Amino acid sequence: MLRVAVLISGGGSNLRALLEASADAGYPAHVVAVGADREASGLAHAEEFGIPSFVVPWRGAGEREAWGAELDAQLAAWQPDLVVLSGLMRLLPPASVRRWSGRLLNTHPAFLPEFPGAHGVRDALQSGVRETGASIILVDDGVDTGPVIVQERVPILPGDDEHALSERIKLVERRLLIDVVRRISTGELDLTAVR
Ligand code: GRF
């Protein structure tokens, strides 16, 4: 059983989808812990599913290294095989990226390398393109620059606002995330071959 830790900042709807998938006895991965950089409302999903959670409060960019070290220590206690950044709105320090390198995933609401950064949905809408997407990547030291594991296009529909588009993208993100974690667990997907 692959051990998965998930880090969030917000509502955690993608986390919830993974928790629901892993509640199925046939699913080969298990969420062992959920962490956050604040008292995120999404932590309630962990509680509902009986999964332990922890908060390492963000203390400002000047303390990124110390924050990351504390986060690493909390994560390490759960011995995760995989760490999924699922809406964590902070950049991990390089030491943390190195520590979890090769098993650190991020979900991003755009077709990377298009529209990286914190406002991928808004940026796509404002640019006037007709489609954007969802990506799951391996995290490296850059901002959404790591190798793409899987991605899928999502159309932008007339009348879409940021909320509507974001919700439609998240439907795809959830499906991709559940499938990627499953394929990593079964060995069908080899992350060392992703570059
Ligand atoms: C997702 O779109 C994720 O890619 C982005 O933040 C969103 C998280 O949503 N980084 P939720 O907290 O899972 O609802």
Side-chain angles (χ1 to χ4, degrees), residues 10-15 86-89 106-109 166 169-170 173-174:
S13 62
N14 290 355
L15 158 70
S86 184
L88 181 74
M89 298 306 281
N106 186 33
T107 61
H108 184 76
S166 166
I169 291 172
K170 284 204 271 186
E173 281 185 90
R174 288 172 202 146

Side-chain angles (χ1 to χ4, degrees), residues 14 41 61 137:
N14 290 355
S41 62
I137 64 169

Side-chain angles (χ1 to χ4, degrees), residues 55-175:
V55 176
V56 181
W58 176 250
R59 299 182 295 251
E63 294 208 40
R64 189 185 306 277
E65 304 293 332
W67 172 78
E70 203 178 321
L71 196 64
D72 291 346
Q74 292 272 1
L75 280 172
W78 297 103
Q79 301 184 309
D81 301 305
L82 212 58
V83 178
V84 178
L85 310 184
S86 184
L88 181 74
M89 298 306 281
R90 304 288 177 201
L91 285 184
L92 296 179
S96 300
V97 173
R98 265 198 309 280
R99 172 156 190 170
W100 306 106
S101 174
R103 51 190 166 135
L104 183 59
L105 271 53
N106 186 33
T107 61
H108 184 76
F111 200 86
L112 291 169
E114 300 167 9
F115 310 114
H119 306 292
V121 178
R122 190 189 310 170
D123 293 345
L125 268 176
Q126 285 176 352
S127 76
V129 293
R130 296 175 62 178
E131 55 178 12
T132 179
S135 304
I136 299 184
I137 64 169
L138 270 174
V139 177
D140 69 5
D141 267 341
V143 178
D144 299 323
T145 51
V148 172
I149 301 168
V150 65
Q151 60 188 169
E152 195 172 302
R153 284 290 183 187
V154 176
I156 297 179
L157 303 180
D160 261 351
D161 59 11
E162 192 175 342
H163 177 74
L165 180 56
S166 166
E167 288 303 312
R168 191 144 21 79
I169 291 172
K170 284 204 271 186
L171 294 177
V172 177
E173 281 185 90
R174 288 172 202 146
R175 175 165 46 73

